[in-house]
Amino acid sequence: MYNISDYVISFNESIGAIYNVPNFSLIKVAPKIAEQIKEEIKSNCISEDTLGFLKKNFKKNNEKSNYLFDFVDNKKISKLQFMVTNSCNLNCKYCYANGGTYNQPVGTMSTKTADDIIDKLALDIDEINSVQFFGGEPLQAYKVIMHICDRIRQKFKKVNEFTMVSNFTMLPIEFIDYIKKYNISITVSLDGPEEINDRLRIAKNKNFSTFKQVKNNIDLLRAYGGNINAIECTYTDEHKKLGYTKEWLRNFFKQQFNVEMIIIADEGKKDTLTKLDLKDIIDDFKNNKNISVEKIGVLIKLLKKSNISRYCNAGFNAITFFQNGDMYPCHMFVLNNDYYMGNVSDDNIFFSSKFKSVKNKLDNINKCDDCNARNICSKCPGNLSLNSSKANDISICETYRKFMEDIILEIVNFLEHSNLKDLLPLNKF
């Protein structure tokens, strides 16, 4: 009934912490209690007193659910991604998608394909949490995006947000009205100052500074009353050679563009947290300094109540449509035909044997759903599917598990010595 994979338990000489993974719940306890419960759960020999304590503090949560409950029976989808084009105007040195083409014939989603996707989804779904536009470079198909925004608003009872990931080297004036009308949240891809950015993010057909172009377009958007929401940077060996650290880049982006949300991922990885980042977060909580938006985000992710049934919902409660109407769990799987889920022109696409077989493959990429670090882990299943050696790299998993033990203790200590102390009263045995 009580599995060690559902708990993270940590303690030191002065305080203990117990985190329940399915419930996203953290409690503060005496160190002897934490030590006792950890040992009992590990040995699968839980006393009646411990059982009563766990029942009192953590409600039972049947975390696992099948994709039909999330996706159809609940009439709600977490993320719908439109890859509106696989054409891109840049030739980034590290691009995993072969210049944005994903090794597919270059094309742009037609309004008919977009309508077919929306109409079929509308038969089974009332609510979409997030609609994301992706590429290639999505702004090369901005008129299709405009059409999709209008159509989705007509067809669905509730859409919580529209988002877009863009290199932002182009910004049609008429699209700015749609950014404002639908409050489209924009993540801009940028790799640092002009010196490093323009070495990595290179225009295909024109000789111009991609950094300057992006900066001009951000200024243009702001002049019309809009704004970007985040900057995403790919950290490479080239950065290291030139002496750019991740912390320096974060500060540069914040000061240069006045943006708080900065996402930095290592080249070839979709993990946004590295071993060094995890250590930095622990140290900063420990020293009660530099608690940035990103680091508070780690705390929120750990403690936020959620109905998410797995650490990644790709293919279960989130799907991607390629520009030709092909369906995949997310854009990271487009390069792998084993994860092709069907085409919008197929009958009963969400109930087909192909759709179900891909869901089963996703369940078997690795055993992440049984790991007690699953609420914070940023390992990407799509990346793992393309790199089988990484799927079995347990050192990454051990790093995250150790991080979980360290961070829950530091969060308790942090709250204990702040004006938020009352958020975590001591739970007595």
Side-chain angles (χ1 to χ4, degrees), residues 10-17 30-32 34 409-410 413:
S10 189
F11 57 90
N12 58 24
E13 294 178 355
S14 59
I15 203 161
K32 286 186 178 180
L409 204 58
E410 294 308 328
N413 277 327

PDB file of all heavy atoms in Angstrom, residues 10-17 30-32 34 409-410 413:
ATOM      1  N   SER A  10      13.906  12.710   4.233  1.00  0.00           N
ATOM      2  CA  SER A  10      15.239  13.235   4.494  1.00  0.00           C
ATOM      3  C   SER A  10      15.286  13.832   5.899  1.00  0.00           C
ATOM      4  O   SER A  10      14.269  14.293   6.425  1.00  0.00           O
ATOM      5  CB  SER A  10      15.593  14.298   3.451  1.00  0.00           C
ATOM      6  OG  SER A  10      16.939  14.688   3.550  1.00  0.00           O
ATOM      7  N   PHE A  11      16.472  13.812   6.485  1.00  0.00           N
ATOM      8  CA  PHE A  11      16.603  14.365   7.835  1.00  0.00           C
ATOM      9  C   PHE A  11      18.063  14.701   8.113  1.00  0.00           C
ATOM     10  O   PHE A  11      18.988  14.197   7.472  1.00  0.00           O
ATOM     11  CB  PHE A  11      16.087  13.361   8.881  1.00  0.00           C
ATOM     12  CG  PHE A  11      16.760  12.019   8.845  1.00  0.00           C
ATOM     13  CD1 PHE A  11      17.892  11.768   9.609  1.00  0.00           C
ATOM     14  CD2 PHE A  11      16.264  11.000   8.037  1.00  0.00           C
ATOM     15  CE1 PHE A  11      18.517  10.542   9.574  1.00  0.00           C
ATOM     16  CE2 PHE A  11      16.888   9.763   7.988  1.00  0.00           C
ATOM     17  CZ  PHE A  11      18.020   9.526   8.761  1.00  0.00           C
ATOM     18  N   ASN A  12      18.240  15.601   9.085  1.00  0.00           N
ATOM     19  CA  ASN A  12      19.570  15.880   9.619  1.00  0.00           C
ATOM     20  C   ASN A  12      19.458  15.887  11.133  1.00  0.00           C
ATOM     21  O   ASN A  12      18.476  15.375  11.691  1.00  0.00           O
ATOM     22  CB  ASN A  12      20.132  17.188   9.057  1.00  0.00           C
ATOM     23  CG  ASN A  12      19.239  18.388   9.355  1.00  0.00           C
ATOM     24  OD1 ASN A  12      18.455  18.374  10.312  1.00  0.00           O
ATOM     25  ND2 ASN A  12      19.347  19.427   8.538  1.00  0.00           N
ATOM     26  N   GLU A  13      20.409  16.471  11.809  1.00  0.00           N
ATOM     27  CA  GLU A  13      20.405  16.430  13.268  1.00  0.00           C
ATOM     28  C   GLU A  13      19.253  17.210  13.889  1.00  0.00           C
ATOM     29  O   GLU A  13      18.805  16.894  14.992  1.00  0.00           O
ATOM     30  CB  GLU A  13      21.728  16.988  13.804  1.00  0.00           C
ATOM     31  CG  GLU A  13      22.938  16.131  13.448  1.00  0.00           C
ATOM     32  CD  GLU A  13      24.232  16.741  13.939  1.00  0.00           C
ATOM     33  OE1 GLU A  13      24.179  17.880  14.473  1.00  0.00           O
ATOM     34  OE2 GLU A  13      25.280  16.098  13.784  1.00  0.00           O
ATOM     35  N   SER A  14      18.763  18.226  13.179  1.00  0.00           N
ATOM     36  CA  SER A  14      17.780  19.125  13.798  1.00  0.00           C
ATOM     37  C   SER A  14      16.369  19.018  13.235  1.00  0.00           C
ATOM     38  O   SER A  14      15.413  19.432  13.899  1.00  0.00           O
ATOM     39  CB  SER A  14      18.259  20.578  13.667  1.00  0.00           C
ATOM     40  OG  SER A  14      18.430  20.922  12.305  1.00  0.00           O
ATOM     41  N   ILE A  15      16.215  18.483  12.027  1.00  0.00           N
ATOM     42  CA  ILE A  15      14.887  18.505  11.410  1.00  0.00           C
ATOM     43  C   ILE A  15      14.733  17.373  10.395  1.00  0.00           C
ATOM     44  O   ILE A  15      15.726  16.845   9.874  1.00  0.00           O
ATOM     45  CB  ILE A  15      14.641  19.872  10.721  1.00  0.00           C
ATOM     46  CG1 ILE A  15      13.144  20.141  10.592  1.00  0.00           C
ATOM     47  CG2 ILE A  15      15.350  19.959   9.383  1.00  0.00           C
ATOM     48  CD1 ILE A  15      12.814  21.591  10.353  1.00  0.00           C
ATOM     49  N   GLY A  16      13.488  16.990  10.159  1.00  0.00           N
ATOM     50  CA  GLY A  16      13.193  15.967   9.159  1.00  0.00           C
ATOM     51  C   GLY A  16      12.119  16.452   8.200  1.00  0.00           C
ATOM     52  O   GLY A  16      11.348  17.355   8.512  1.00  0.00           O
ATOM     53  N   ALA A  17      12.070  15.841   7.018  1.00  0.00           N
ATOM     54  CA  ALA A  17      11.073  16.219   6.011  1.00  0.00           C
ATOM     55  C   ALA A  17      10.594  14.970   5.296  1.00  0.00           C
ATOM     56  O   ALA A  17      11.381  14.069   4.989  1.00  0.00           O
ATOM     57  CB  ALA A  17      11.681  17.198   5.013  1.00  0.00           C
ATOM     58  N   ALA A  30      10.076  15.586  13.170  1.00  0.00           N
ATOM     59  CA  ALA A  30      11.302  15.426  13.943  1.00  0.00           C
ATOM     60  C   ALA A  30      12.224  14.457  13.205  1.00  0.00           C
ATOM     61  O   ALA A  30      11.756  13.526  12.549  1.00  0.00           O
ATOM     62  CB  ALA A  30      10.982  14.900  15.338  1.00  0.00           C
ATOM     63  N   PRO A  31      13.537  14.628  13.313  1.00  0.00           N
ATOM     64  CA  PRO A  31      14.465  13.773  12.569  1.00  0.00           C
ATOM     65  C   PRO A  31      14.320  12.288  12.894  1.00  0.00           C
ATOM     66  O   PRO A  31      14.440  11.439  12.007  1.00  0.00           O
ATOM     67  CB  PRO A  31      15.844  14.312  12.959  1.00  0.00           C
ATOM     68  CG  PRO A  31      15.640  15.196  14.131  1.00  0.00           C
ATOM     69  CD  PRO A  31      14.244  15.694  14.051  1.00  0.00           C
ATOM     70  N   LYS A  32      14.029  11.955  14.163  1.00  0.00           N
ATOM     71  CA  LYS A  32      13.888  10.539  14.521  1.00  0.00           C
ATOM     72  C   LYS A  32      12.691   9.908  13.844  1.00  0.00           C
ATOM     73  O   LYS A  32      12.708   8.726  13.474  1.00  0.00           O
ATOM     74  CB  LYS A  32      13.780  10.403  16.046  1.00  0.00           C
ATOM     75  CG  LYS A  32      15.097  10.626  16.772  1.00  0.00           C
ATOM     76  CD  LYS A  32      14.967  10.334  18.261  1.00  0.00           C
ATOM     77  CE  LYS A  32      16.313  10.507  18.961  1.00  0.00           C
ATOM     78  NZ  LYS A  32      16.218  10.231  20.429  1.00  0.00           N
ATOM     79  N   ALA A  34      11.436  10.852  10.873  1.00  0.00           N
ATOM     80  CA  ALA A  34      11.805  10.660   9.461  1.00  0.00           C
ATOM     81  C   ALA A  34      12.679   9.428   9.302  1.00  0.00           C
ATOM     82  O   ALA A  34      12.477   8.611   8.382  1.00  0.00           O
ATOM     83  CB  ALA A  34      12.536  11.899   8.948  1.00  0.00           C
ATOM     84  N   LEU A 409      14.681  19.011   2.349  1.00  0.00           N
ATOM     85  CA  LEU A 409      15.223  19.424   3.636  1.00  0.00           C
ATOM     86  C   LEU A 409      15.575  20.908   3.633  1.00  0.00           C
ATOM     87  O   LEU A 409      15.300  21.636   4.602  1.00  0.00           O
ATOM     88  CB  LEU A 409      16.464  18.590   3.964  1.00  0.00           C
ATOM     89  CG  LEU A 409      16.841  18.443   5.444  1.00  0.00           C
ATOM     90  CD1 LEU A 409      15.687  17.825   6.235  1.00  0.00           C
ATOM     91  CD2 LEU A 409      18.091  17.607   5.584  1.00  0.00           C
ATOM     92  N   GLU A 410      16.148  21.382   2.532  1.00  0.00           N
ATOM     93  CA  GLU A 410      16.514  22.792   2.447  1.00  0.00           C
ATOM     94  C   GLU A 410      15.293  23.689   2.336  1.00  0.00           C
ATOM     95  O   GLU A 410      15.292  24.818   2.826  1.00  0.00           O
ATOM     96  CB  GLU A 410      17.473  23.029   1.276  1.00  0.00           C
ATOM     97  CG  GLU A 410      18.834  22.372   1.436  1.00  0.00           C
ATOM     98  CD  GLU A 410      19.497  22.708   2.757  1.00  0.00           C
ATOM     99  OE1 GLU A 410      19.296  23.820   3.296  1.00  0.00           O
ATOM    100  OE2 GLU A 410      20.223  21.837   3.274  1.00  0.00           O
ATOM    101  N   ASN A 413      14.057  23.996   5.840  1.00  0.00           N
ATOM    102  CA  ASN A 413      14.933  24.930   6.563  1.00  0.00           C
ATOM    103  C   ASN A 413      14.713  26.367   6.121  1.00  0.00           C
ATOM    104  O   ASN A 413      14.690  27.298   6.925  1.00  0.00           O
ATOM    105  CB  ASN A 413      16.402  24.538   6.341  1.00  0.00           C
ATOM    106  CG  ASN A 413      16.854  23.436   7.267  1.00  0.00           C
ATOM    107  OD1 ASN A 413      16.395  23.346   8.405  1.00  0.00           O
ATOM    108  ND2 ASN A 413      17.729  22.579   6.785  1.00  0.00           N
TER     109      ASN A 413
END
